Amino acid sequence: MTHVPPAPNGFEWRQFSDVFVLKPLGWNERSKVDTTKEPSVDLHATSPETFSETEFFETGFTLQIIRNAGALYSASAEAVASAHLLPFLQERAKEDILLLNEEVQGEIVRMIARYVDHSPGLRPVTVHKFLAVNNTADCVHVFTFESPVETWDENWAMYGETILGNLCMKQDTPANEPIY
């Protein structure tokens, strides 16, 4: 069992599949784990707003876990992660892509992208995606934090950095440095 440190004030630890996440107190939460379809995808979300499968939130955190990713697509899990991220970046203007980074730490490939989403009819939203890819385990974890552009700095400082900076995989111990 993984041991996590005490949650900071205003947060509680929640286990979403194989990841421990700091969830802000009072935030709504939904999970959907579907192992009957291929690829098997776990979906977990939390937000201060009320949301459903058809009513999306503007501010919140989402975790998607794609298992057997490479085997299903006859490619490495890293290639599957790149294919997942690419459409989000291709439909953005160059000035709306705020951050793009990739690094390898042991057997984990970390991909980070931050961009502004100007979807028609909606307020502009800043989206921060962090993908943790394990080719050996053939698994892709997609962590997403988003908030309207006008409240991004405040929400990122209050919630996003804490949530993404303290993720803990079930088989690991918490990292001392942010992984986002």
Side-chain angles (χ1 to χ4, degrees):
M1 178 170 163
T2 299
H3 297 284
V4 295
N9 286 337
F11 291 85
E12 66 180 331
W13 284 106
R14 296 288 294 135
Q15 184 176 351
F16 296 135
S17 297
D18 61 350
V19 180
F20 289 89
V21 173
L22 282 171
K23 176 188 149 198
L25 294 174
W27 278 29
N28 300 301
E29 149 185 345
R30 292 181 58 87
S31 292
K32 183 177 182 181
V33 178
D34 190 349
T35 57
T36 62
K37 295 181 185 172
E38 291 295 338
S40 171
V41 176
D42 298 12
L43 180 61
H44 306 279
T46 183
S47 170
E49 303 161 33
T50 301
F51 64 99
S52 68
E53 286 187 39
T54 57
E55 288 274 329
F56 303 114
F57 56 73
E58 289 182 328
T59 300
F61 168 78
T62 306
L63 165 61
Q64 296 168 274
I65 304 171
I66 307 167
R67 301 181 197 289
N68 302 318
L72 289 168
Y73 298 107
S74 300
S76 68
E78 185 176 353
V80 171
S82 293
H84 172 86
L85 190 56
L86 195 59
F88 293 106
L89 300 175
Q90 285 179 327
E91 61 186 44
R92 309 281 165 239
K94 186 177 181 178
E95 61 271 12
D96 286 337
I97 299 175
L98 308 173
L99 174 67
L100 189 57
N101 188 20
E102 181 176 318
E103 64 181 54
V104 178
Q105 290 185 326
E107 62 182 31
I108 304 295
V109 177
R110 298 172 185 222
M111 299 176 182
I112 301 169
R114 185 180 297 168
Y115 57 88
V116 177
D117 182 354
H118 292 282
S119 292
L122 300 175
R123 290 194 303 175
V125 173
T126 301
V127 179
H128 183 97
K129 286 192 172 287
F130 163 59
L131 287 74
V133 182
N134 186 324
N135 286 312
T136 304
D138 197 19
C139 189
V140 178
H141 287 74
V142 182
F143 305 95
T144 306
F145 182 81
E146 56 195 281
S147 174
V149 169
E150 65 267 11
T151 57
W152 170 260
D153 291 338
E154 177 184 333
N155 285 330
W156 178 250
M158 284 179 51
Y159 306 115
E161 286 185 310
T162 300
I163 294 169
L164 291 175
N166 292 284
L167 298 168
C168 182
M169 304 298 281
K170 191 172 181 181
Q171 68 273 16
D172 297 334
T173 56
N176 290 329
E177 60 184 81
I179 61 173
Y180 57 90

